[in-house]
Amino acid sequence: MTGQRGRVLIVVTVVVLALGALGLTLWHQPDRPDAVRAAGSSPSPTVEAPPVIVPGRPGEPAVTRPAQEVRDTSTPRYNSLDVWFVRMMIPHHQQAVEMAALAPDRAADPRIRAVADRIQAAQQPEIGVLRAWLAARGLPAEVPGHDHGTMRGMQSPEAMRQLAAARGADFDRLFVRMMTEHHEGAVVMATDLLKVGVDQTMQEFANSVAAEQSVEITRMRELTAS
């Protein structure tokens, strides 16, 4: 009987504990239907967007800003200076590609040919990007009556003829001088746009031009110094 009484005591204890837990649960439940509805309709917690890394201008570090402070670029925004930069940079890039295309058959230094290859590989696709930017906004690429020779770094037709006629070491020296001047002009144009443009795509493009062509200027100067 003692063993049976012990088993009965265990069962009773378990039942009492279960009823006590159920009572606590019921005690904390709202006793009004409207309270239940209110609890069920509580708003979901707000999920904040992650911060955005904004690239800096040449020589400046990138900064992290809250997502809500970064301008929404879903709607294209640009000004006349953005358009002017794009229209001027197309022929500017075209001349750089034309100069670089002369190197494989004329340059004596393989490093000059390597620089020319990089210029072609970078700037030819960029011309397509610039044309597509204009086309997406229904803008023509040409500027009737504008003398592109007046742009910073642009080489004269006579200088281009001299470069095409040069060979070997003479070509190398002339190429480095002309392309350095050309790149310097592009860096100035790009840096100027960073101060006055508003289109985000062109800001990123100009930042890339200023950074990459500054590096190439340093490389070319090192070639002539060695």
Side-chain angles (χ1 to χ4, degrees):
M1 292 296 291
T2 304
Q4 183 177 0
R5 187 179 297 114
R7 287 194 294 273
V8 170
L9 180 60
I10 292 173
V11 171
V12 171
T13 302
V14 171
V15 171
V16 170
L17 290 175
L19 290 174
L22 179 60
L24 285 174
T25 302
L26 293 174
W27 175 264
H28 288 288
Q29 291 296 323
D31 57 354
R32 293 179 302 168
D34 57 340
V36 174
R37 285 194 297 269
S41 60
S42 59
S44 301
T46 302
V47 178
E48 294 185 359
V52 177
I53 298 176
V54 181
R57 294 180 177 179
E60 298 179 356
V63 296
T64 301
R65 295 174 56 188
Q68 61 270 22
E69 293 183 7
V70 179
R71 185 177 66 222
D72 181 9
T73 58
S74 58
T75 301
R77 295 181 65 245
Y78 60 92
N79 61 21
S80 60
L81 298 171
D82 290 315
V83 178
W84 185 257
F85 171 81
V86 175
R87 286 173 170 165
M88 295 302 101
M89 194 55 70
I90 290 173
H92 204 276
H93 268 29
Q94 286 173 331
Q95 188 179 68
V97 170
E98 182 182 350
M99 293 165 63
L102 298 172
D105 298 330
R106 295 168 174 79
D109 191 333
R111 295 175 299 173
I112 297 293
R113 293 195 291 271
V115 168
D117 286 343
R118 285 195 296 270
I119 291 171
Q120 282 189 287
Q123 297 198 26
Q124 188 65 58
E126 287 179 350
I127 293 172
V129 171
L130 294 168
R131 289 189 178 278
W133 188 91
L134 291 170
R137 291 155 181 79
L139 301 170
E142 292 72 23
V143 183
H146 178 72
D147 181 7
H148 295 307
T150 61
M151 288 190 293
R152 292 180 179 271
M154 286 292 282
Q155 302 297 305
S156 66
E158 177 58 28
M160 293 295 291
R161 285 192 289 269
Q162 290 178 3
L163 182 64
R167 297 290 188 280
D170 290 339
F171 175 89
D172 294 349
R173 286 191 295 269
L174 194 57
F175 177 87
V176 169
R177 179 178 64 79
M178 292 173 61
M179 191 63 80
T180 297
E181 293 174 357
H182 201 271
H183 276 18
E184 288 172 340
V187 170
V188 171
M189 293 167 64
T191 303
D192 286 346
L193 184 73
L194 290 172
K195 301 173 184 176
V196 297
V198 297
D199 180 81
Q200 185 64 28
T201 299
M202 281 304 109
Q203 287 286 297
E204 295 170 359
F205 184 93
N207 191 57
S208 176
V209 167
E212 293 176 5
Q213 297 203 19
S214 293
V215 171
E216 285 185 347
I217 289 171
T218 301
R219 287 174 179 162
M220 289 188 289
R221 285 174 174 166
E222 290 173 350
L223 291 180
T224 55
S226 59

